[in-house]
Amino acid sequence: MYIVLFGAPGAGKGTQASYVAQQMNLVHIATGDLFRQAIEQGTELGMQAKSDMEKGLLGPNELTIKMVMERMAVPDCETGVVFDGFPRNLGQAETLDEALEKQGKAVDNAVYIKVAEEELLKRLTGRWVCRKCQQPYHETESPPKIQGKCDKCGGELYQRPDDNIETIKNRLGVYFKETAPLIDYYTKAGKLVEVDGVGGIDEVGRRIIEGLRK
Ligand code: ADP
Ligand code: ZN
């Protein structure tokens, strides 16, 4: 099974992708995490990605696709993948379709997690993420049991440098312009599953699993 999870920044893609991957025994590939890893490692790709990410812009398509393809070549992906934050524009969506087709595979469903803009802003400005396992928290909506520490792995929590109000506004603009057209793309392909992203983590997770079963 190959599932795409998409939605605006702050829609809960990361949280839900890790939930769905666990429930359905799929590999979770998050391009935002791949970008952050590349930046930390100081690779050539990382240097290019860093300035884009700081501005809230998308990284270059070629490099994004290269990272995804490298990760997909690892044998654990054979049984299926949940893509989180990829594809993020029509070019990436077409490339993914072509790459899977070559292997006799296809995207089964694309889950669109729908959240109103006002709610997105609230979520992103209070977000804390685990440095080790990337689990997100929110300072008022879903705080960790111990302040500054990840419930799951004990890792240190930090605020992403691109979670500041200026960058957040840019990211939302990029989302509406570049990523929102995927709603149409996957609707036409008969693959869209639209899910209301407002509610508890388990509640939204159940909606997604239910939507995928239909
Ligand atoms: P969010 O969805 O909250 O913005 P992500 O962690 O998914 O967070 O992405 C963070 C940043 O990483 C993006 O703003 C962008 O710069 C880069 N990025 C992630 N995925 C892609 C992608 N598929 N194509 C291009 N850039 C990407
Ligand atoms: Zn953690």
Side-chain angles (χ1 to χ4, degrees):
M1 256 200 130
Y2 292 85
I3 295 165
V4 166
L5 260 182
F6 74 103
K13 293 186 298 288
T15 308
Q16 294 304 334
S18 92
Y19 178 83
V20 171
Q22 201 182 12
Q23 293 287 313
M24 303 179 75
N25 211 3
L26 302 168
V27 173
H28 175 190
I29 300 183
T31 43
D33 292 346
L34 295 178
F35 269 98
R36 281 181 286 276
Q37 273 167 26
I39 290 171
E40 229 163 78
Q41 287 159 6
T43 60
E44 193 189 331
L45 159 71
M47 308 307 278
Q48 288 182 56
K50 190 166 189 271
S51 90
D52 289 328
M53 203 157 165
E54 277 168 359
K55 293 185 200 120
L57 302 174
L58 296 187
N61 268 359
E62 277 165 68
L63 298 168
T64 309
I65 286 156
K66 183 171 165 263
M67 284 192 302
V68 172
M69 291 308 147
E70 272 173 22
R71 179 61 189 87
M72 275 179 75
V74 181
D76 64 342
C77 292
E78 278 289 299
T79 46
V81 172
V82 180
F83 295 101
D84 160 13
F86 179 86
R88 230 171 167 101
N89 58 31
L90 289 174
Q92 291 180 6
E94 284 161 4
T95 306
L96 177 63
D97 283 347
E98 284 159 20
L100 287 174
E101 202 185 318
K102 273 187 200 150
Q103 302 173 26
K105 295 167 181 159
V107 169
D108 293 280
N109 281 116
V111 179
Y112 165 45
I113 309 180
K114 195 174 177 180
V115 175
E117 198 171 342
E118 208 187 80
E119 170 77 11
L120 295 171
L121 281 171
K122 191 177 87 189
R123 288 185 183 183
L124 289 166
T125 46
R127 177 156 78 173
W128 291 78
V129 186
C130 173
R131 243 184 233 292
K132 248 163 107 187
C133 77
Q134 319 305 328
Q135 175 69 28
Y137 296 88
H138 189 279
E139 45 194 35
T140 54
E141 307 300 309
S142 54
K145 291 197 184 88
I146 302 165
Q147 201 190 340
K149 254 194 174 182
C150 177
D151 292 350
K152 272 187 163 172
C153 78
E156 180 205 359
L157 305 186
Y158 79 111
Q159 285 200 291
R160 274 171 41 179
D162 59 341
D163 275 351
N164 65 75
I165 192 72
E166 272 315 302
T167 311
I168 287 170
K169 283 187 179 154
N170 286 339
R171 284 157 61 204
L172 286 172
V174 168
Y175 167 76
F176 287 114
K177 189 160 164 267
E178 298 204 41
T179 312
L182 294 179
I183 299 172
D184 236 37
Y185 182 82
Y186 287 118
T187 300
K188 284 188 183 131
K191 292 177 178 174
L192 193 83
V193 175
E194 186 177 308
V195 169
D196 177 4
V198 182
I201 293 171
D202 293 346
E203 200 180 338
V204 177
R206 270 196 300 274
R207 286 181 201 145
I208 293 174
I209 304 278
E210 219 171 87
L212 288 171
R213 286 218 179 100
K214 273 184 198 157

